[in-house]
Structures are given as C-alpha cells and as structure tokens.
Amino acid sequence: MHTPKRLGAIALLATTAIVLSGCSSAGDSEDSGSAAASCEPATEAVELTFTSWIPGIEEVVDVWNAENPDIQVTVQTGPNGNSGTYQNFFTQLEAGNAPDLGQIEYDALPNFRVQDGLVNIADCAGVADAQEDFVDWTWSQVSFGEEDSVYAIPQDSGPMALFYRSDLFEANNIAVPTTWEEFATAAEQVRAAGGYITNFSQNDVNQFAGLVWQAEGSWFENDGTNWTVDLTGDESTTVADYWQDLIDRDLVSTYPGWTTEWDNAYNTGEVWSWNSAAWGANSIISGAPSTAGNWSVAASPQWEAGGESSGNWGGSSTAVFTGSEHPYEAAQFAMWLNTSDESLTMLNESAQIYPAAVAGLELPSLAAGVDFYGGQAIYDVFSEASGQVSSDFVWGPTMTQTYNDVSDGFKAAVSGTGTLSEALESAQTSTIDALKAQSIPVAE
Amino acid sequence: MTTTAVSGPTETSPVPRRTRRPIAHKKAIAIFVLPFGVLFALFYLIPIGYAVYQSLLVVEREGTFGQATEVFGGLTQYILVFQNGPFWQSVGRVLMFGVVQVPVMLGLALLFALLLDSPLLKGKRFFRLAFFVPYAVPGVIAAIMWGFLYSPNLSPFSLVTENIDFLSAELVLWAIANVVTWVYVGYNMLIIYSALLAIPTEIYEAARLDGAGQLRIAWSVKIPLIIPAIVLTGIFSIIGTLQLLAEPQVFRSFSSAVTSTFTPNLMVYSTSAIPNINLAAAFSVVLALATFVLSFTFLKFTQRKDAK
C-alpha cells in the first residue's frame, strides 16, 4: 500500500511545485514596471524572436539578418491580432515565454500594458529621440501621452478613405459622395441599380471605432486614477443611428468581414465601396482580384460639407515583450523595421503598409500609381487623411472583450433582433464589468 | 465459439496467484502503472489542480496601469460565474442541443449498426466504411464544409439556402447539430456495431428456434444485450455536447447568430482572450463539474434501470 501513497505524494509535490513556480514567475515580472527599463547592449551575438502577420515580413527580416550578423531575428507569422495572435501573446506572457518582439495594433496596446506585457524602451538608444520621426497621433498611441514612456515603435497607420468602384459609379451616373448625407442618397441609387453601396461588417468593430474617431468621438479616457468608458457618447450614437438606418432600409449588405462570402460580394460587384484604411488596398487586391483596374480612392465622406476629418482603422506597432533578455537589440530592430527606407519600401510593396514614420511618407513607392486602382496615386489620398486624424482617441484596457461584446450586439442588430445603439449600450455595461473583474479602476 | 475459449482461463487463474508472492506483484503493479500514472498526473491532475488554483485567485492593482498582483480571493470568481447571464444561457443552449441531438445521433447510430449486423444487408464493408468516413474528416474542416453548404450565396444548393436561412438565429443551432451528427454517427455506430459482433451467435439460433424474425431479434435480443455500449456512447455524447467549441467557432464567421458566448467553451475561450484567466478557470471548473454530474447522473439512472 506504500507505493500508491508515495505516488500520490509525488503527484501532489509536483502540483505544488508547478503552482509555486506559477506564483514566483508572476512575482518576478513585477520589477519591469512603468519606469523605463535600463537598456544596455549585449556583449555577444544575440538571437531574437519576432511574431507578426504582415504578408511578406519574412523577406524584410532576411534583409536585416544579412546586414546584422550579431542580431539574428527569427520571424514567426500567425493570424491577425484579434483572430488569435493576441491570445497567443497573452498566453505566452502568462507562461513566461513570449517572443522578444511582437506586432501589436494601437488599439491593443493598453490591453497589453495593463497585463504588464510591454517593456518601456524609452531609455534604449535612439528611441526617445525618435518622437519627431513619427506622425503625431501614432506616437501618442505608443507613449500613452506620458513622458519617458515608449511602449512600442509605430509601424503603420490606417487613415481611412473611400475605396469605390469608379466604373460602376460612372456607368450608373452616381456622384461619388463627399458627405455621409450624400452617401445615404447614393446608397439608394446603388440599391436601385441592383447593388449595395457598401457592406456593414458586424465583426469589424474597429472599423466602426474609426468612424466614431472621424466624428471626433472617443470611447475611453484615462486620467491616471480612473478609466472612463464612453461607448454611448453623442458621436457614437450618431454614427450608430446612421448605419442602423441604412441596415433597416436594406441599403447596405451585412456579410461578416474577412469571410469568403464577403470577398465574393466584392469580387462579383455586388458591393461597390468600402470606407477603409490604407492597408485595405491590399485586402481588395487579394479578395477581389477580378475587379482589377476598376477601383478608385476618394476622401471619406464627411459629417459636415467641406469638413476635413478623418478616421483611422488599425495600424500596428512593434513592441518588446516583458521577459525579453535583449530589449536593446530588440529596440534597434524595431527602429530599423519601422524607419529605414528599405524596410518600409518592402513592406509597402508586399502589403501596402502605410508607414507611421514621417520620412516614410516621402517614399518613391508611395508616390507611384497603383495599377489595381487604375493607375491612381492612391497614397496621396491617404497622406491627406493621415494629417486629419485626431490624436485624442484613446483605447480601453480590455479591447478584445469590448470588440467581442460590441460585435455580438452588432450581429444581433444585423439579424434584426436589436439595434447598433443597443449593442453599444450593452457593451458599455459589460466593459465596465470586465474592468471591475480585473480590479482596473473605472469611473461610472 | 471463440468467446467461450477466451473467457475460460481468466476466470480460474488469478485466485491462487494472488496469495503466493504479494510483494513482487506490488512492485510490478507499480512499474506497470507508472507510465500511466505519470502521464495522468502531468496532463490531467496537474492541469486540473492548476485551473482550480487559478480560479481561486483575484487580481488587485492600483492606478489605471497599476501592477497586477494575484491574491487569494476565495470563491469570488465563482460568484461572478453564477451571476453571469450569458454563461448560463450558453449552458441552457447546449443542454437543449444535447436533448435533441444526442438521441437523434445515437438512434441513427443504433439503426445503422443493426442494419450492418443484419444478415439482410448486402455490401456491408462498403457501408461500414461509408458511414465511418465523416469521422475521419477533422471537425473544423467538416464545419467549414457545411458552412459553405449552408451559405445563401456560395452553396451549391443555393436554391434551397436562399429560401431557408440555415444560418439564422432560429436555425443555426440545429445546423450545427446536423454537422455534429454527420461527423459522429459513424463513430458511435462503430462502437455499437462492435458490441453487436461480440454477442454469441447461439443466442440468435435460440431466438430463431423460438420463432423470432429479424426485427424481433433486433428489438428483444440485440438491443438489450448492447445497452452498455449505448450507455457508453451516451456518456461520450453528453460530454461532447457540453464541450462544443470547434463547430460554433467556425460558424462564427458564417453566421451572424453565433456570438462569442454561444457555448460554454466559447465563453471560456473569449474570457481567456480578455485575458481574464482566473475567471476563465472558474468557468472551466464549473463546466467540468457540470459535465461530471451529468455523466454520472446518466450512468446511475441507466444502471438502476439495468438492475431491475
């Protein structure tokens, strides 16, 4: 009878050992707090790991590796952030084996910072001085508007503009809308011609946030003591009611974004326009290949005639994760990746990445016409939009949850059992609950 | 004939051996159990223990980006679980799913197994394989395939799917039930069928001598004898139902009706994505306990019936 008891004891010991090590690893990470970590170069060659989902990132990393034999980067690719990579990051951080560097969209940065996942690289050589080199609002996203704080290097931005089927608009004599009011009128004309002016994607809550951003709204505030959640502000409600009306009148289609159905709707010409980000240029090229040459890009419709406001959808940064042993080298790579001409040119050519670095906006590849868009120099439009993006938009600390909850509500709305405003109201409540559940201070 | 030959020696031999050299046996038992024991502890006991431990913690922090410290919180997370409306809705949803889908699936599996076992059917090998093939298709691939079949625009049967929206809020649960049934009927059929093969043929002879036809044999001889196999598949199915994840996760991109809290496991998945690992652990523990209770209630219920 001794043996089974001993076995049981061993199992128990093993359990407690693992449990304890879980404790201690959580304790270790406490040092790397909000104060900038000291950042010293390593004395010998280092190897870094980097996770990203940009198409063609491997070739860019190959160029770095060829030029920097002492800092070798291994790149791993995955699905885009909210589709799984963020969840992997969080799990890896919990387990203490996150990669050195990862791609994180601006909207997810607060989430990672709250979970103590990011290294403050402000003290790494050249990082703090780089502020001038980036578009203002992107820098305020990675620094959280704080002094001596740099939690990531901005990579690209997603200023929004209107992609539209110029051939179809022209053939049906429909004017390209410059205000949202004109957009609704055009939507009726397009519907009469048998198409949909655009698709309202129930799972692209960050696109919706971009529309609220354009309307000068903001969803979160952080005064240092408390978070404020405001999904139901006037601007959000205006945008929600506007799209609800289009949905109610069957003037927009409601395919879930990034699915084969959705690609198909664009590829077959059922849907005629998409108010999307600069990187969306790549999505249309890959999702609707048979419409090549028929697209153009115009400035987003405005809420007021003659207005000059633009929203932003997505855009990523390169962050150094807690637990990286080589923040100095990691920061050097992140700076090169996001500021060097050769890297930015390659990223733009392979993935239509629109750089966050000011100098990157002058790249020859951005001035050239794009064949798929009938030879139009589409980045001129985005360049203009980029300058019109407000730097006041703040993201919440549990965006994955907020997106999920708003999206669940949007799904109900497009299937006719609720409205977009109700979705925002219920997500407002659930977001506050989610913050409280994690003891994140929130003002009500 | 073969079954009696096998069962012969095992009935008599162990009794004298057990008393002879007990110590050597204990070591041997320990050695034989060790590989299982280690794996069982590593991949079963420890993860469960860790989940229970995680579920008892709460996070504390100061300031908007304050350091998180995990402290013992007792049953705080469990209180949140019991207050969580969407979680219990999702439990109700999978229970409703199970009440309809499990009997349908097992009924079909039993019917197919009986048909395969009946002397009337020709081409048994072909049908056995044909029924089993869907199980060889990975669950995610099956869900994607059915997702396209249901899709209003992309389906090859768009004449049907344009008029009946299988992906609507009313029907999507049953559309998923159909996918699960399609995948698992063959698997359950095989378990039941192998139980049928183990029935000694003398019993059929006796039944036939008493004047029973094929239907009567199936109903009064075969089914009562394979009840244990049906109970087993029943328990597997109950567990599988409560743990639905892959199919609804895939259907999220096909249907507007499948939310991030559609099934309990999806709820766990989205909670851990926040990431709120402590609450996700508490959800998992409650779900595991519910599965345990349901399976054992089912077992007790069916065993009591057996005893009578």
Side-chain angles (χ1 to χ4, degrees), chain A residues 3 19 23 30 87 90 94 111 113-114 202 222 226-227 255 259-261 264 404 408 411 438-441, chain B residues 26 30 53 59 61 63-65 67 69 148 151-154 252-253 256 258-260 269 272-275 277:
Chain A
T3 334
V19 165
C23 271
E30 271 171 36
Q87 190 150 10
F90 284 128
E94 175 79 12
N111 205 342
R113 188 175 163 201
V114 156
Q202 50 207 271
N222 172 8
N226 278 311
W227 285 93
Y255 300 110
T259 60
T260 317
E261 288 247 17
N264 184 59
N404 264 340
D408 284 352
K411 285 181 164 197
Q438 296 214 59
S439 312
I440 300 170
Chain B
K26 277 186 177 164
Y53 164 76
V59 168
R61 68 182 90 222
T64 43
F65 283 118
Q67 272 307 312
T69 37
F148 281 122
S151 150
N153 295 312
L154 304 171
R252 278 177 79 183
S253 59
S256 303
V258 182
T259 61
S260 61
Y269 182 77
S272 70
I274 292 178
I277 289 169

Side-chain angles (χ1 to χ4, degrees), chain B residues 278-295:
Chain B
N278 309 110
L279 184 58
F283 277 135
S284 312
V285 171
V286 170
L287 182 62
L289 283 178
T291 313
F292 194 74
V293 167
L294 256 180
S295 309

Side-chain angles (χ1 to χ4, degrees), chain A residues 112-428:
Chain A
F112 278 93
R113 188 175 163 201
V114 156
Q115 301 297 335
D116 192 23
L118 306 178
V119 176
N120 184 352
I121 50 173
D123 284 355
C124 295
V127 170
D129 302 335
Q131 175 165 6
E132 307 301 316
D133 300 342
F134 292 94
V135 174
D136 281 347
W137 73 264
T138 63
W139 194 262
S140 69
Q141 299 267 327
V142 299
S143 67
F144 295 84
E146 297 169 15
E147 293 292 311
D148 293 326
S149 288
V150 183
Y151 285 92
I153 303 295
Q155 177 161 66
D156 67 316
S157 66
M160 291 166 85
L162 185 69
F163 293 92
Y164 66 100
R165 285 287 298 273
S166 37
D167 59 330
L168 294 175
F169 272 84
E170 227 162 83
N172 290 281
N173 257 332
I174 301 171
V176 179
T178 59
T179 65
W180 287 112
E181 204 183 333
E182 287 176 22
F183 189 82
T185 316
E188 290 166 12
Q189 295 168 318
V190 173
R191 194 75 196 99
Y196 285 104
I197 192 163
T198 193
N199 180 67
F200 183 85
S201 170
Q202 50 207 271
N203 47 0
D204 285 323
V205 182
N206 35 10
Q207 179 188 25
F208 186 86
L211 296 170
V212 174
W213 195 335
Q214 185 202 15
E216 309 279 330
S218 181
W219 278 358
F220 293 87
E221 248 180 87
N222 172 8
D223 63 8
T225 347
N226 278 311
W227 285 93
T228 313
V229 184
D230 188 18
L231 297 181
T232 49
D234 291 344
E235 297 85 359
S236 306
T237 314
T238 307
V239 175
D241 291 346
Y242 176 83
W243 287 94
Q244 184 65 48
D245 172 57
L246 294 183
I247 294 169
D248 288 345
R249 292 195 284 153
D250 188 35
L251 295 180
V252 291
S253 61
T254 53
Y255 300 110
W258 314 100
T259 60
T260 317
E261 288 247 17
W262 179 73
D263 279 343
N264 184 59
Y266 280 99
N267 201 26
T268 57
E270 185 189 355
V271 179
W272 292 15
S273 83
W274 190 32
N275 190 53
S276 177
W279 46 260
N282 180 269
S283 314
I284 302 179
I285 294 173
S286 60
S290 58
T291 58
N294 298 332
W295 289 86
S296 297
V297 184
S300 284
Q302 298 289 320
W303 286 103
E304 282 167 25
E308 284 190 347
S309 184
S310 186
N312 180 77
W313 178 9
S316 296
S317 64
T318 311
V320 181
F321 282 119
T322 304
S324 169
E325 289 173 10
H326 305 290
Y328 175 86
E329 287 76 12
Q332 298 310 306
F333 169 73
M335 288 290 290
W336 174 85
L337 181 70
N338 300 322
T339 56
S340 77
D341 282 358
E342 53 186 336
S343 160
L344 291 177
T345 305
M346 284 179 83
L347 288 173
N348 179 257
E349 279 167 359
S350 68
Q352 275 70 38
I353 289 289
Y354 188 74
V358 178
L361 304 181
E362 310 296 324
L363 287 179
S365 69
L366 285 175
V370 183
D371 289 344
F372 190 91
Y373 297 90
Q376 185 188 354
I378 59 171
Y379 296 104
D380 289 352
V381 183
F382 292 107
S383 166
E384 197 152 318
S386 176
Q388 301 169 351
V389 176
S390 147
S391 28
D392 298 333
F393 201 89
V394 175
W395 299 105
T398 57
M399 276 327 284
T400 316
Q401 165 270 325
T402 305
Y403 283 155
N404 264 340
D405 290 350
V406 176
S407 171
D408 284 352
F410 280 6
K411 285 181 164 197
V414 300
S415 36
T417 55
T419 65
L420 301 180
S421 298
E422 285 168 18
L424 293 174
E425 278 161 31
S426 96
Q428 166 85 13

Side-chain angles (χ1 to χ4, degrees), chain B:
Chain B
M1 286 300 283
T2 43
T3 43
T4 45
V6 171
S7 64
T10 47
E11 271 168 29
T12 48
S13 56
V15 185
R17 247 188 244 168
R18 198 182 293 165
T19 46
R20 226 179 285 160
R21 283 191 338 219
I23 302 158
H25 272 275
K26 277 186 177 164
K27 270 187 186 161
I29 289 169
I31 288 168
F32 282 125
V33 166
L34 195 66
F36 164 78
V38 168
L39 292 175
F40 186 68
L42 272 180
F43 297 105
Y44 201 83
L45 295 179
I46 293 176
I48 289 179
Y50 188 61
V52 172
Y53 164 76
Q54 283 283 349
S55 71
L56 296 175
L57 300 177
V58 290
V59 168
E60 279 185 357
R61 68 182 90 222
E62 280 171 23
T64 43
F65 283 118
Q67 272 307 312
T69 37
E70 288 184 322
V71 294
F72 183 76
L75 297 177
T76 316
Q77 305 289 1
Y78 290 94
I79 294 171
L80 290 176
V81 169
F82 284 96
Q83 288 171 342
N84 194 307
F87 179 71
W88 295 104
Q89 279 166 22
S90 74
V91 170
R93 193 175 288 124
V94 290
L95 285 181
M96 187 165 78
F97 179 98
V99 166
V100 176
Q101 189 263 341
V102 172
V104 168
M105 175 176 68
L106 294 186
L108 283 174
L110 178 64
L111 179 71
F112 291 154
L114 287 171
L115 281 175
L116 283 183
D117 195 51
S118 121
L120 305 174
L121 186 84
K122 300 266 183 286
K124 272 179 205 171
R125 271 194 182 169
F126 169 77
F127 283 110
R128 196 170 54 200
L129 189 67
F131 289 140
F132 189 69
V133 156
Y135 184 66
V137 178
V140 172
I141 306 292
I144 293 174
M145 185 188 85
W146 277 99
F148 281 122
L149 288 176
Y150 291 140
S151 150
N153 295 312
L154 304 171
S155 173
F157 312 106
S158 53
L159 272 181
V160 179
T161 55
E162 269 170 11
N163 294 310
I164 308 167
D165 187 1
F166 291 105
L167 300 172
S168 65
E170 295 81 29
L171 288 181
V172 75
L173 187 66
W174 311 116
I176 293 174
N178 179 46
V179 179
V180 176
T181 308
W182 182 80
V183 172
Y184 288 99
V185 158
Y187 168 77
N188 288 306
M189 174 204 77
L190 218 64
I191 294 178
I192 297 173
Y193 180 61
S194 52
L196 281 170
L197 290 182
I199 299 174
T201 43
E202 296 90 339
I203 299 181
Y204 299 148
E205 259 168 57
R208 239 171 281 139
L209 284 176
D210 287 344
Q214 282 302 326
L215 271 180
R216 182 74 192 181
I217 290 178
W219 184 252
S220 304
V221 179
K222 289 181 179 176
I223 293 183
L225 282 172
I226 55 166
I227 287 280
I230 298 175
V231 169
L232 182 78
T233 55
I235 289 178
F236 284 170
S237 308
I238 289 173
I239 296 174
T241 303
L242 282 168
Q243 302 193 336
L244 267 178
L245 174 71
E247 292 83 1
Q249 171 71 10
V250 169
F251 269 64
R252 278 177 79 183
S253 59
F254 285 105
S255 166
S256 303
V258 182
T259 61
S260 61
T261 57
F262 196 72
T263 71
N265 256 354
L266 264 180
M267 182 92 200
V268 173
Y269 182 77
S270 9
T271 308
S272 70
I274 292 178
N276 187 343
I277 289 169
N278 309 110
L279 184 58
F283 277 135
S284 312
V285 171
V286 170
L287 182 62
L289 283 178
T291 313
F292 194 74
V293 167
L294 256 180
S295 309
F296 270 76
T297 317
F298 181 72
L299 200 63
K300 275 275 174 287
F301 181 70
T302 46
Q303 273 175 345
R304 196 168 302 156
K305 255 187 167 175
D306 251 13
K308 281 177 192 172

